[in-house]
Amino acid sequence: MGTAHAARAHIIWTSIALVLILTASCLTYVFMSKVSGCQRIHNLPVSAIESMFRHEVSREKWLLKACNHTDNRLVWDDEWEGHRNRSESILDHDKTWIVIREKGVYLVYIQANFVLKPLKDSDSTVDLKLLVDFKYEEKTEIFSAAHDTQVVNDNTSPDAKLNTFLLMYMNSANQLSVKVSPSDLVNYEPRPFSTFITIIKCADTW
């Protein structure tokens, strides 16, 4: 059972990583934060992207699944926790902040799934929000955000999702946290992953 689970997780992780890498190689620009800990890229040359992936693959690759929330911040579980040493964890003690261990360029993809609850015989709207907080040098700023307004009724799909894709340069000890609203509508049921974050270090520098 454990072998089957590990194999399934490996296949899923590989598929997600390939999608992220292909997406990154097709980007002509990436919107980045204005904070000093990160950089904004415009028209990144293909040669620069290729050079980033020529480096030896880093061990800094993570797949975290949301399992709960506290004060609108998602609480994470490491999908591969059983295959790592406790000292390798990148989660803080509350499992709400992701602490970067090695400086470098990271691909980050976040998806939050929501379960919409229509009111019987009535239309309503719900504002869905996803915010990424970035903590550096004792400062915390909003790094990225996604927003959508859904009309909810009996004909509405029960599922909705928000996602954001980031290419970031981060230093050791920088931290990320994800806030969602309304947090009581977040879907935590695996299919295989409904609300998750993937983090892949792809280079030491730009």
Side-chain angles (χ1 to χ4, degrees):
M1 185 70 177
T3 303
H5 177 76
R8 179 173 63 85
H10 178 72
I11 292 171
I12 293 168
W13 170 257
T14 302
S15 300
I16 293 172
L18 288 174
V19 169
L20 289 175
I21 291 171
L22 288 173
T23 302
S25 65
C26 295
L27 290 176
T28 56
Y29 63 89
V30 178
F31 289 104
M32 300 299 292
S33 173
K34 296 180 181 179
V35 300
S36 60
C38 299
Q39 299 181 20
R40 184 185 298 269
I41 306 173
H42 290 284
N43 298 323
L44 188 65
V46 174
S47 59
I49 295 176
E50 290 176 346
S51 67
M52 288 195 301
F53 292 106
R54 290 195 192 107
H55 297 284
E56 182 179 351
V57 177
S58 170
R59 290 176 56 85
E60 293 299 294
K61 42 186 177 289
W62 304 85
L63 175 57
L64 307 177
K65 181 178 65 175
C67 60
N68 206 334
H69 64 270
T70 176
D71 295 328
N72 288 344
R73 294 192 188 278
L74 291 177
V75 178
W76 303 101
D77 274 339
D78 183 357
E79 181 66 12
W80 296 337
E81 185 176 11
H83 303 281
R84 303 184 191 273
N85 297 326
R86 293 184 61 88
S87 60
E88 293 181 320
S89 177
I90 60 170
L91 294 171
D92 71 350
H93 64 282
D94 292 327
K95 295 188 174 183
T96 56
W97 285 91
I98 298 164
V99 184
I100 299 303
R101 305 191 311 164
E102 296 179 5
K103 68 177 181 180
V105 180
Y106 287 83
L107 292 169
V108 180
Y109 177 79
I110 306 166
Q111 178 172 304
N113 280 32
F114 299 84
V115 180
L116 304 180
K117 300 177 181 178
L119 300 176
K120 189 174 182 180
D121 301 325
S122 175
D123 288 355
S124 62
T125 60
V126 58
D127 290 328
L128 306 178
K129 296 179 182 179
L130 184 157
L131 303 175
V132 180
D133 284 342
F134 180 61
K135 186 183 293 186
Y136 68 103
E137 298 175 355
E138 300 182 353
K139 301 177 183 177
T140 302
E141 298 190 23
I142 295 176
F143 183 79
S144 179
H147 175 267
D148 188 24
T149 299
Q150 292 276 338
V151 177
V152 183
N153 55 42
D154 289 335
N155 298 320
T156 302
S157 169
D159 294 321
K161 70 179 179 180
L162 292 177
N163 54 60
T164 186
F165 174 84
L166 306 169
L167 180 60
M168 309 172 63
Y169 179 82
M170 293 187 284
N171 289 314
S172 174
N174 287 168
Q175 300 182 39
L176 294 175
S177 183
V178 181
K179 297 169 71 174
V180 292
S181 177
S183 54
D184 60 316
L185 298 184
V186 175
N187 185 7
Y188 301 108
E189 296 299 322
R191 295 180 303 174
F193 305 106
S194 286
T195 300
F196 65 92
I197 181 172
T198 61
I199 303 173
I200 305 173
K201 181 182 176 184
C202 54
D204 292 329
T205 186
W206 293 122

